[in-house]
Amino acid sequence: MNSRREVVSESHDQDLKTCCANVYQSDWARLLLGDSFHPGGTALTRHLGDLLHLRPNQRVLDVAAGQGTSAIYLAQCFGCSVVGTEYSQDAVERASQAAQIAGVARLVTFEQGDAEQLPVSGASFDAIICECAFCTFPNKSVAASEFRRVLKAGGQVGLSDLTRQGEMPEDLQGLLAWIACIADARPLEDYVRYLAEAGLTVQRVEQHDEALSDMVRDIQGKLLGTELLVKLNKLHLPGEIDFEQAKTMAKVAATAIKAQKFGYAVVTALA
Ligand SMILES: C[S@@+](CC[C@H](N)C(=O)[O-])C[C@H]1O[C@@H](n2cnc3c(N)ncnc32)[C@H](O)[C@@H]1O
């Protein structure tokens, strides 16, 4: 039987996942981030696909696939088939629709599922990608073991994620920061260790910090534009947003990136 502590921490983890999924399926996320919810957009997804040598007839798993943009893009670029798994059922429905509209529904499908308990069989994928999401998983060791479980022998994982050096600035420790994938960002060595401890052999590590600064600059511009439109009564948003808090967070993040306390990295590993 689970102890009370385990039950409390389990329900805390579920709350975090649900909250994160709710935010990323909101109109807000699309307004500020567009379709691709990670630094570097589809260009970095393409690079990840190149590093993994994706090709037709391969089965690829996109863990925490969001709106499905990367899954659809990989199928279009490399001709591989892609299964996207995602915590949010709403996002799964939108992503499936997007695959239909893009004419790739034969190659790309989506399923609701937790990255810490992937809804797919063992040893069934040639490659996994996971973009800007690993840092939001409360139990990173379990997620890494799930990657290992579902990869075929010789399969590869390509992770891209936020990295942190040193202590987290206080402004970036709250719930909003968690959802923005910042609060539990780890040093690059931690990601390497999670994959290695799950039995994967890390092959390549790359820094892509400029992709993160570009994204934060873009968000800062969109926040200012949106705030102005709201003040001029030209835009009516569903629900309230604390512009001051969001702008402060973006500013603190921009400063931390400049000071090289935050970055974005790609890690590939072999099963
Ligand atoms: C920053 S978005 C990245 C989405 C997508 N990978 C992309 O790059 O466009 C993080 C995504 O992780 C999903 N997510 C968070 N926790 C999850 C979990 N435990 N299992 C599956 N998906 C999760 C969220 O719902 C959200 O769609």
Side-chain angles (χ1 to χ4, degrees), residues 17 20-21 24 36-38 64-66 86-87 113-115 131-133 136-137 181:
K17 291 173 193 170
C20 180
Y24 279 102
S36 199
F37 290 177
H38 61 266
E86 170 46 61
Y87 200 77
D114 189 337
E131 299 172 298
C132 202
T136 70
F137 304 153
C181 299

Side-chain angles (χ1 to χ4, degrees), residues 209-210 212-213 216-217 220 250-263:
D209 300 348
E210 72 299 336
L212 182 60
S213 356
V216 171
R217 205 173 308 119
Q220 285 180 308
K251 196 171 165 195
V252 176
T255 309
I257 296 164
K258 245 187 224 146
Q260 298 190 321
K261 288 186 173 167
F262 268 132

Side-chain angles (χ1 to χ4, degrees), residues 1 12-13 16 70 73 132 155 202 204 215 220 224 234 253:
M1 204 207 259
H12 175 255
D13 288 358
L16 276 175
S70 295
Y73 185 75
C132 202
V202 172
R204 196 178 178 98
M215 186 185 202
Q220 285 180 308
L224 286 177
K234 299 233 159 127

